[in-house]
């Protein structure tokens, strides 16, 4: 200014000598629903430009449900405060979407927008975070579209997965144990990792990502980077998108585009935008979503992991829910939906610090999620999901329909001179080979019975061609060996007399030669 003559050099020097703040903080007034407001503002600026935003006199009506927003802010704040001391988790975020319209009803990006200590102005709802197991429903849904069912049996056994490299991939369950044969509905509800990785292999990585995107996920753009770890949360998603995808599930597979705007008018009253309800786009058939909703809303399926009365249980409503937790407890999620409301909650630290051991989604995110959902549903109709009837879904393959060739406590006798050969017990058992009770298993990995390119087609002539077959089969055989099963077909024939002919008593009479010619 001095160089241009607006002020004197003396005035310039005096101005330079005045101490100023090193950083000028923008002063934000008492904004209601600040993260949502900033989200809408960014949308307006991107679409209409900063000049129109600041000088155009726009009149904007949003989709925000003020009562639900106040509730969301309260439960997030209260839940996050409890988690600080107990779990070293200082932040949380919540999004609620109406699945019938796609309208964003609530958005809380942090427990306190104005807190500098936690970078409160960062809207976690639109930041990429790893979803942990909360992404598993999309993978199982993809498997259902290929012909697998909630009854389909997978083996939760120690498994080394082939990766095409020198190293194998050996995932572990949360408790380090194994459950043996489990149905898909149990494996998903209990969040078992090993069956989930198998489900991803059967469903296909690219197909699972494609379906996830069609539901509402906008990330997961590098399939080669994830591999089989995708199903355990190896990619990143945004809470807003994740909730949107769950909202698509809530509507039975029809995606309604998410929106925060009901109407926008310029200073002259001209309508620039207006929400118009649409039929949406069907991205997956309802019958497959029905399988998933049944699985995620049936409490008994998850009881073995989460207990009979967890935060995930609702008796008065049908609620589908899935939790997620990332490695080292850096992210915890609870995602769920009813036919009328989809809600997602994230808990963690903005700087990605690990929380305390055991800080999983069912412990620190579920209480916040439940508190919001339970109060929100009080004035909403108790709609139900379409009914799932397993009797109407038959694939004509035992393993797909939930049947295994195993039988316990079979009364048998071992056939002499035929090692490991048995017959069904009856009166002909003799000698040292008395009746015994044995467990039999002729079970194989699912890859023994299906071709992943055509699961409902003919059984593969040579299942060993599948690169995963040998390792999956090994896990099954070792499991039954450890469980004291005899790995062979269950005996179908009863014992025969000739099976024990070596043990029949023989009676003979020896007559001395001197007496043989005498008559008596």
């Amino acid at each position: 200014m001095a160089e241009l003559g607006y002020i004197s050099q003396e005035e310039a020097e005096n101005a330079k000598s005045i101490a100023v703040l090193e950083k000028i903080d923008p002063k934000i007034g008492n904004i209601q629903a600040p993260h949502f407001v900033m989200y809408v503002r960014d949308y307006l600026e991107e679409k209409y430009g900063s000049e129109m935003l600041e000088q155009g006199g726009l009149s904007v009506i949003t989709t925000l449900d003020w009562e639900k927003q106040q509730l969301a802010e309260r439960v997030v704040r209260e839940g996050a405060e409890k988690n600080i001391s107990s779990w070293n988790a200082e932040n949380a975020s919540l999004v609620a979407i109406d699945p019938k319209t796609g309208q964003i009803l609530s958005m809380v990006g942090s427990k306190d927008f104005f807190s500098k200590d936690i970078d409160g102005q960062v809207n976690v709802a639109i930041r990429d975070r790893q979803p942990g197991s909360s992404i598993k429903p999309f993978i199982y849904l993809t498997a259902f579209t290929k012909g697998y069912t909630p009854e389909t049996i997978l083996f939760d056994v120690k498994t080394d997965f082939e990766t095409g490299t020198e190293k194998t991939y050996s995932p572990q369950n949360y408790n380090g144990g194994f459950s043996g044969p489990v149905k898909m509905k149990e494996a998903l509800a209990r969040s078992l990792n090993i069956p989930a990785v198998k489900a991803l292999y059967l469903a296909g990585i690219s197909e699972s990502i494609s379906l996830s995107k069609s539901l509402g996920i906008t990330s997961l753009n590098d399939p080669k980077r994830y591999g089989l770890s995708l199903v355990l949360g190896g990619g990143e998603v945004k809470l807003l998108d994740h909730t949107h995808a769950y909202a698509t599930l809530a509507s039975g597979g029809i995606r309604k585009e998410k929106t925060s705007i009901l109407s926008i008018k310029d200073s002259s009253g001209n309508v620039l935008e207006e929400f118009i309800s649409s039929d949406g786009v069907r991205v997956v058939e309802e019958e497959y979503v029905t399988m998933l909703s049944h699985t995620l809303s049936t409490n008994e399926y998850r009881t073995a992991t989460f207990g009979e009365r967890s935060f995930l249980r609702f008796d008065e409503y049908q609620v589908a829910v899935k939790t997620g937790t990332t490695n080292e407890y850096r992210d915890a999620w609870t995602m769920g939906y009813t036919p009328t409301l989809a809600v997602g909650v994230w808990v963690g630290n903005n700087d990605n610090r690990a929380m305390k051991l055991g800080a999983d989604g069912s412990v620190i995110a579920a209480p916040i999620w439940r508190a919001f959902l339970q109060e929100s549903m009080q004035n909403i109709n108790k709609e139900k999901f379409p009914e799932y009837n397993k009797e109407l879904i038959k694939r004509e393959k035992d393993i797909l329909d939930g049947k295994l060739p195993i039988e316990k406590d079979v009364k048998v006798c071992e056939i002499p001179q035929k090692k490991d050969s048995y017959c069904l017990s009856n009166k002909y058992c003799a000698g040292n080979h008395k009746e015994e009770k044995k467990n039999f298993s002729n079970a194989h990995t699912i890859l023994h019975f299906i071709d992943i390119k055509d699961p409902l087609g003919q059984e593969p002539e040579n299942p060993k061609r599948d690169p995963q077959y040998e390792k999956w089969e090994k896990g099954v055989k070792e499991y039954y060996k450890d469980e004291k099963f005899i790995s062979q077909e269950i005996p179908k024939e009863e014992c025969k007399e000739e099976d024990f002919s070596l043990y029949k008593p023989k009676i003979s009479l020896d007559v001395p030669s001197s007496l043989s010619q005498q008559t008596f």
Side-chain angles (χ1 to χ4, degrees):
M1 291 179 69
E3 291 176 359
L4 294 176
Y6 290 103
I7 61 174
S8 67
Q9 189 62 40
E10 182 179 359
E11 289 174 323
E13 295 300 325
N14 289 336
K16 290 179 183 180
S17 65
I18 298 175
V20 297
L21 295 174
E22 294 183 1
K23 180 180 179 181
I24 299 177
D25 293 328
K27 298 300 181 183
I28 301 176
N30 186 26
I31 302 176
Q32 305 298 315
H35 286 111
F36 180 80
V37 169
M38 294 303 171
Y39 173 77
V40 173
R41 186 185 188 284
D42 289 344
Y43 167 80
L44 296 172
E45 184 172 18
E46 181 177 353
K47 186 167 184 177
Y48 297 102
S50 57
E51 183 176 351
M52 183 67 168
L53 174 65
E54 296 172 3
Q55 302 177 24
L58 297 178
S59 174
V60 181
I61 299 177
T62 73
T63 61
L64 193 75
D65 183 317
W66 181 233
E67 289 186 2
K68 284 185 174 58
Q69 178 66 20
Q70 290 178 298
L71 170 62
E73 291 179 0
R74 173 169 60 80
V75 298
V76 165
R77 181 177 62 255
E78 293 174 352
E81 288 299 325
K82 291 179 181 178
N83 288 334
I84 291 176
S85 57
S86 300
W87 300 105
N88 191 34
E90 61 186 13
N91 204 7
S93 180
L94 183 151
V95 171
I97 293 178
D98 181 349
K100 296 182 181 296
T101 62
Q103 294 177 6
I104 302 171
L105 304 178
S106 306
M107 178 187 288
V108 181
S110 71
K111 72 171 185 180
D112 184 358
F113 179 87
F114 300 99
S115 173
K116 296 180 180 179
D117 295 336
I118 62 166
D119 292 326
Q121 293 186 20
V122 173
N123 187 353
V124 184
I126 56 176
R127 292 298 177 97
D128 287 331
R129 306 289 306 204
Q130 289 193 341
S133 294
S134 66
I135 202 171
K136 287 178 180 176
F138 307 154
I139 280 71
Y140 280 89
L141 179 61
T142 307
F144 294 159
T145 67
K146 290 196 162 190
Y148 305 95
T149 77
E151 315 306 317
T152 295
I153 295 175
L154 298 174
F155 279 90
D156 180 29
V157 295
K158 184 180 184 303
T159 308
D160 298 320
F161 290 86
E162 182 61 53
T163 63
T165 66
E166 294 180 358
K167 295 183 178 180
T168 58
Y169 175 48
S170 304
Q172 300 295 316
N173 287 321
Y174 64 95
N175 62 359
F178 308 102
S179 299
V182 291
K183 295 180 178 181
M184 278 191 166
K185 61 187 182 183
E186 299 162 345
L188 173 56
R190 293 173 57 190
S191 203
L192 300 175
N193 288 338
I194 296 168
V197 177
K198 292 179 178 179
L200 176 58
Y201 180 73
L202 297 173
I205 296 175
S206 60
E207 293 93 334
S208 297
I209 290 177
S210 178
L211 181 56
S212 299
K213 285 179 168 293
S214 70
L215 293 171
I217 299 298
T218 61
S219 52
L220 303 180
N221 297 316
D222 189 7
K224 294 181 180 179
R225 179 168 69 88
Y226 312 128
L228 292 174
S229 67
L230 173 68
V231 72
L232 306 185
E236 293 82 26
V237 301
K238 299 174 177 63
L239 176 61
L240 177 59
D241 290 346
H242 211 18
T243 309
H244 183 207
Y246 272 73
T248 303
L249 300 177
S251 64
I254 297 175
R255 187 187 71 233
K256 303 291 183 71
E257 294 304 327
K258 65 179 183 290
T259 182
S260 59
I261 301 295
L262 289 178
S263 69
I264 302 175
K265 295 181 181 179
D266 63 16
S267 58
S268 300
N270 299 312
V271 177
L272 304 180
E273 276 187 46
E274 188 171 30
F275 174 79
I276 300 176
S277 181
S278 71
D279 294 334
V281 178
R282 177 163 292 285
V283 297
V284 59
E285 293 302 317
E286 186 176 61
E287 65 175 301
Y288 306 123
V289 182
T290 296
M291 297 179 189
L292 185 67
S293 296
H294 167 77
T295 297
L296 296 178
S297 63
T298 304
N299 192 64
E300 66 181 273
Y301 297 157
R302 70 172 74 96
T303 297
T305 295
F306 298 97
E308 176 66 26
R309 304 201 65 85
S310 69
F311 288 108
L312 311 179
R313 173 175 173 168
F314 284 80
D315 294 329
E316 62 273 30
Y317 305 103
Q318 274 197 314
V319 182
V321 56
K322 184 70 189 74
T323 62
T325 311
T326 58
N327 290 339
E328 299 179 350
Y329 300 98
R330 298 183 187 277
D331 304 88
W333 305 69
T334 298
M335 308 294 302
Y337 59 93
T338 73
T340 54
L341 186 64
V343 182
V345 170
W346 169 91
V347 172
N349 296 304
N350 281 23
D351 59 5
N352 207 37
R353 280 182 293 111
M355 298 174 284
K356 290 183 180 179
L357 185 68
D360 64 65
S362 66
V363 174
I364 63 173
I368 298 172
W369 172 86
R370 182 185 180 88
F372 176 85
L373 187 62
Q374 190 164 22
E375 190 166 336
S376 295
M377 292 296 294
Q378 289 181 359
N379 298 318
I380 298 178
N381 292 333
K382 298 180 181 180
E383 295 186 29
K384 292 185 176 181
F385 300 121
E387 185 177 356
Y388 166 72
N389 187 343
K390 68 178 181 180
E391 300 303 324
L392 300 178
I393 304 172
K394 297 294 184 181
R395 302 305 191 215
E396 305 305 324
K397 286 188 177 184
D398 283 351
I399 200 162
L400 297 182
D401 293 331
K403 301 175 184 177
L404 278 179
I406 64 171
E407 194 166 339
K408 296 183 178 181
D409 296 329
V410 182
K411 294 181 180 180
V412 297
C413 291
E414 186 171 9
I415 300 175
Q417 295 185 335
K418 291 184 180 181
K419 186 178 181 181
D420 297 330
S421 183
Y422 299 86
C423 55
L424 297 177
S425 176
N426 61 13
K427 64 182 180 180
Y428 294 115
C429 290
N432 295 323
H433 299 275
K434 299 297 183 181
E435 177 182 276
E436 299 178 277
K437 289 184 178 180
K438 297 287 187 180
N439 299 328
F440 288 85
S441 166
N442 193 34
H444 296 275
T445 169
I446 193 172
L447 297 176
H448 191 85
F449 306 101
I450 62 100
D451 181 342
I452 63 173
K453 295 180 180 178
D454 184 17
L456 299 182
Q458 296 295 319
E459 292 186 7
E461 293 183 4
N462 184 7
K464 293 182 180 179
R465 290 179 179 176
D466 189 292
Q468 298 291 351
Y469 179 85
E470 295 286 2
K471 289 182 169 56
W472 289 25
E473 183 78 354
K474 179 182 178 183
V476 173
K477 295 302 181 186
E478 289 181 348
Y479 168 78
Y480 281 112
K481 181 179 179 181
D482 292 342
E483 293 294 312
K484 309 301 181 185
F485 274 76
I486 298 173
S487 294
Q488 59 180 253
E489 289 188 12
I490 302 164
K492 298 178 181 179
E493 296 185 358
E494 290 191 353
C495 298
K496 300 175 183 178
E497 184 176 5
E498 55 265 31
D499 292 335
F500 302 91
S501 59
L502 293 175
Y503 291 86
K504 288 181 64 178
K506 294 182 179 180
I507 302 175
S508 62
L509 179 62
D510 292 331
V511 180
S513 58
S514 61
L515 299 176
S516 63
Q517 301 300 320
Q518 296 184 24
T519 301
F520 295 91

